[in-house]
Amino acid sequence: TCLGVLLLFLTCIQLVHPENVGWKSFLAEDPTEFHDLPLVWEDTTPVPSWLSGTYVRNGPGQITFGSPRRQLSSWLEGFAKLHSFKLSGSSVLFSGAMLQSPNYVASVKKGELVPQITLNKFSSDEEEWTWWEKLHIV
């Protein structure tokens, strides 16, 4: 199917040219935004001419905000980063940006995690949300 071919194609890009921006740090915390970085196709087989469109996927992006207190302990409750691959003929462009949810924007502005529902406890009792903060979550 087309999806299978696309996934194989994207895997080959990673294996053929691992220095492409973004691959080494995909699972590392990185809120950096970048747009339309060209990826190099080094295989002798050209990118299929019929393969065109944009493939978008979500993944991990950020779990800390510079403050040593209230760091999320799991990527399952972290903030998402969207990555896209724009395919057009032999051109493949790679982009990445954080999903700008209200809690993410507020946490960036404050420089630490703002009150929100979390799956796990923080590393100490002092970091847990106060009753007042819990009322603001609801």
Side-chain angles (χ1 to χ4, degrees):
T1 68
C2 290
L3 181 59
V5 170
L6 177 61
L7 292 175
L8 177 61
F9 169 74
L10 295 175
T11 301
C12 289
I13 288 174
Q14 179 184 6
L15 296 176
V16 172
H17 201 293
E19 288 80 30
N20 284 327
V21 175
W23 286 115
K24 289 183 180 178
S25 63
F26 182 71
L27 292 175
E29 186 175 30
D30 181 13
T32 307
E33 187 168 325
F34 52 92
H35 298 279
D36 296 334
L37 298 175
L39 297 181
V40 179
W41 181 260
E42 294 183 345
D43 197 341
T44 56
T45 306
V47 177
S49 60
W50 54 265
L51 190 58
S52 67
T54 303
Y55 172 70
V56 180
R57 62 169 298 167
N58 68 325
Q62 192 167 359
I63 58 174
T64 62
F65 291 92
S67 173
R69 62 187 293 248
R70 293 188 177 147
Q71 298 180 356
L72 296 171
S73 59
S74 169
W75 283 110
L76 294 175
E77 59 189 7
F79 293 94
K81 187 169 186 178
L82 299 177
H83 291 93
S84 71
F85 298 87
K86 294 178 187 169
L87 308 160
S88 179
S90 63
S91 171
V92 180
L93 302 176
F94 182 51
S95 299
M98 294 297 295
L99 188 63
Q100 300 290 312
S101 68
N103 281 343
Y104 174 77
V105 172
S107 294
V108 169
K109 184 177 180 180
K110 189 172 180 182
E112 72 177 20
L113 193 64
V114 298
Q116 58 191 282
I117 296 172
T118 56
L119 299 173
N120 297 312
K121 290 185 173 261
F122 292 107
S123 60
S124 70
D125 289 338
E126 293 81 34
E127 293 182 16
E128 291 298 326
W129 305 120
T130 65
W131 285 104
W132 183 249
E133 289 170 324
K134 288 179 183 179
L135 286 174
H136 282 101
I137 294 171
V138 185

